[in-house]
Amino acid sequence: MTPVVVIDVVGLTPRLLAHMPNVSAVGAAATLRPVLPAVTCSMQTTLLTGAMPREHGIVGNGWYFRDLGEVLLWRQHNALVQGGQLWDAVPGLKTANVCWWYAMGAASDLLVTPRPIYHADGRKSPDCYTRPPSLHDDLESRFGTFPLFSYWGPTAGIASSRWIVSAARHILREERPGLLMVYVPHLDYDLQRYGPDGPEAIAAAKEVDAALAPLLAEDATFVILSEYGITAAARPVDVNRALRRAGLLEVHTQAGMEYLDPWASRAFAVADHQIAHVYVRDPADVDRARDVLGELPGVDEVLDGGGKARYGLDHERAGELVAVAEPDAWFTYYYWLTDDRAPDFARLVDIHRKPGYDPAELFMDPADPLVKARAGLALARKKLGFRYLMNVVPLNPAPVRGSHGRLPDDPADGPVLLGPFDGDSYAATEVKELLVTLAKQATAELGARRMS
């Protein structure tokens, strides 16, 4: 059986393909029309389910869990996904997942997903979770520990994508899954740091293309796609600060630091790139919150119930309102009004405690001349087994130069689909059936060989 290998090269657009000969050789590039929000968790789930967010429930990279009273981003368990998925769509098909999201508890036969060790003394160490468990030690012995700090943060770079590609190639050769799904993150980093139009974006595209070359040389049917394109966006919009100034958002204070108080707030936003879910506790406050958002420079649309339904985002997990940024803007999660009141986690890479996405985590604070020295000292403390604080992230979002989440205004800036397909444009909801068809063909081929 010729296996089907699906590679998600996040951030890949038609413009970047000109610098990626290995990727381009997979097939003609079709336009892929994303869902709103065009962010990792929502788009990957649509690709795997064939459904809109209104059906599968993944309304962003995170949301306000009303039953818990907590904003949670980057949850990992597959039970959050509602509806059938690609993993078990073809009976008898052996499947493998290398770093696609919502992997834990999914029905794939093999999986690899980032999973740090959170030590009792507060330290965080790189690692990953695998099924079967024996795969963990096999991959670590061959390729080293999963390079978590190259996967996200100020030092994020090509090393994580190379590790992922090596792991995927090993699984393909040794386990021979009929369907292998691989997530390659590298373009996400420098395109958010520097924007999509400079030499850094071209260099990143070339690096990914070279890293993928060994995998693409294997005997398989390849499909390459992306979730979104990153566009130039250098205008941060402080949506929560606007809600706070309007008297709708509340905080509570501990040790001189302010924390978002979602239980007490009349309205607050979960910022996610160019989308913000705005949760309004009392229906009587919806009009006031909409007015505040509508008057905020950088906001393009404010979706109410009808607007969410128009985009297939009308799920109970969504905010009462959803703000969409203008093309050159993106939403911060910041809710404090002066930096001396910011919580300590704001200066850290801390994707689970921040009540919104923070692209500033891709930077060391450029305003701090001692930031690298402090980072080196913290790293030394870590290596010696002491507790450490890597407080290097800027509170000024100005360095960010690229974002995504809104629907692309130009298909050349949107996601792509390459593979053995005839069309020149596909909706994200169509991809699952395309992949099911390829997988069934591979399974039928295996059955015919066994009969002969």
Side-chain angles (χ1 to χ4, degrees):
M1 177 175 68
T2 302
V4 177
V5 179
V6 182
I7 306 173
D8 177 1
V9 182
V10 62
L12 179 63
T13 64
R15 297 187 196 276
L16 291 174
L17 281 173
H19 310 287
M20 306 177 73
N22 295 311
V23 169
S24 296
V26 166
T31 298
L32 188 59
R33 304 190 301 277
V35 298
L36 187 77
V39 298
T40 291
C41 293
S42 300
M43 266 297 288
Q44 284 192 10
T45 306
T46 288
L47 296 171
L48 291 172
T49 62
M52 298 293 286
R54 69 156 60 98
E55 298 161 301
H56 60 61
I58 305 303
V59 298
N61 292 322
W63 54 87
Y64 179 52
F65 286 66
R66 291 180 175 90
D67 53 343
L68 300 177
E70 298 283 353
V71 176
L72 300 173
L73 279 79
W74 305 111
R75 301 293 94 182
Q76 291 185 275
H77 203 278
N78 191 261
L80 291 170
V81 178
Q82 299 169 352
Q85 299 169 52
L86 182 60
W87 308 118
D88 51 8
V90 181
L93 182 70
K94 185 178 182 179
T95 60
N97 173 3
V98 182
C99 293
W100 280 59
W101 212 248
Y102 298 118
M104 300 181 72
S108 57
D109 297 287
L110 301 106
L111 70 87
V112 182
T113 193
R115 189 70 171 178
I117 303 169
Y118 293 96
H119 299 276
D121 63 1
R123 291 178 298 121
K124 179 172 71 174
S125 298
D127 211 337
C128 62
Y129 172 91
T130 72
R131 294 292 301 171
S134 58
L135 182 59
H136 175 279
D137 292 348
D138 184 19
L139 295 178
E140 190 168 84
S141 68
R142 293 173 184 275
F143 311 118
T145 301
F146 179 80
L148 182 73
F149 302 125
S150 178
Y151 188 77
W152 184 249
T155 58
I158 193 62
S160 57
S161 291
R162 288 175 177 154
W163 192 100
I164 289 168
V165 170
S166 295
R169 188 179 180 213
H170 174 70
I171 289 170
L172 181 64
R173 286 187 164 192
E174 299 299 321
E175 301 291 342
R176 301 306 294 173
L179 174 67
L180 170 61
M181 309 285 286
V182 187
Y183 172 76
V184 179
H186 184 59
L187 291 180
D188 220 20
Y189 310 142
D190 277 359
L191 273 70
Q192 290 188 72
R193 288 179 179 127
Y194 306 109
D197 302 320
E200 297 89 354
I202 294 173
K206 290 179 177 179
E207 281 187 308
V208 171
D209 194 64
L212 283 170
L215 178 58
L216 294 174
E218 298 291 331
D219 181 20
T221 297
F222 287 98
V223 175
I224 294 181
L225 49 76
S226 53
E227 306 154 6
Y228 49 78
I230 294 173
T231 54
R235 189 158 51 117
V237 179
D238 296 331
V239 59
N240 274 322
R241 285 171 172 164
L243 292 169
R244 182 174 178 181
R245 291 186 177 106
L248 296 172
L249 181 149
E250 293 196 23
V251 300
H252 66 94
T253 303
Q254 292 178 301
M257 298 179 288
E258 293 181 344
Y259 296 87
L260 175 68
D261 194 340
W263 302 282
S265 294
R266 293 159 61 190
F268 66 92
V270 178
D272 196 354
H273 300 272
Q274 292 180 307
I275 299 292
H277 285 277
V278 180
Y279 294 88
V280 186
R281 181 161 48 92
D282 186 340
D285 287 324
V286 168
D287 287 344
R288 173 62 177 146
R290 183 192 294 109
D291 290 344
V292 172
L293 299 169
E295 296 168 1
L296 188 61
V299 174
D300 188 24
E301 284 187 276
V302 180
L303 308 179
D304 56 13
K308 289 184 291 182
R310 189 168 68 252
Y311 288 105
L313 193 51
D314 47 331
H315 188 277
E316 63 182 0
R317 293 170 176 166
E320 280 69 25
L321 301 170
V322 176
V324 181
E326 293 180 348
D328 67 336
W330 61 277
F331 294 121
T332 74
Y333 79 95
Y334 307 155
Y335 53 82
W336 56 91
L337 300 181
T338 59
D339 285 350
D340 63 315
R341 305 290 281 176
D344 54 3
F345 61 69
R347 294 176 173 85
L348 309 178
V349 175
D350 198 335
I351 64 173
H352 297 304
R353 283 199 293 171
K354 293 179 180 179
Y357 172 72
D358 185 11
E361 290 184 346
L362 287 167
F363 300 87
M364 289 192 181
D365 190 351
D368 181 357
L370 300 177
V371 66
K372 290 186 178 180
R374 289 194 297 102
L377 179 60
L379 185 60
R381 289 182 59 85
K382 176 188 175 183
K383 289 182 176 180
L384 290 170
F386 295 111
R387 298 187 67 169
Y388 68 100
L389 197 64
M390 193 69 74
N391 53 342
V392 299
V393 174
L395 298 184
N396 182 351
V400 176
R401 288 292 179 267
S403 192
H404 61 90
R406 58 177 283 129
L407 298 182
D409 296 310
D410 184 341
D413 295 320
V416 294
L417 174 67
L418 295 84
F421 311 119
D422 298 325
D424 58 8
S425 180
Y426 295 93
T429 51
E430 297 178 277
V431 170
K432 179 188 175 185
E433 283 307 309
L434 293 174
L435 300 180
V436 166
T437 299
L438 288 179
K440 285 181 176 179
Q441 290 172 352
T443 303
E445 174 191 324
L446 177 62
R449 289 181 181 177
R450 287 173 175 170
M451 293 289 290
S452 62

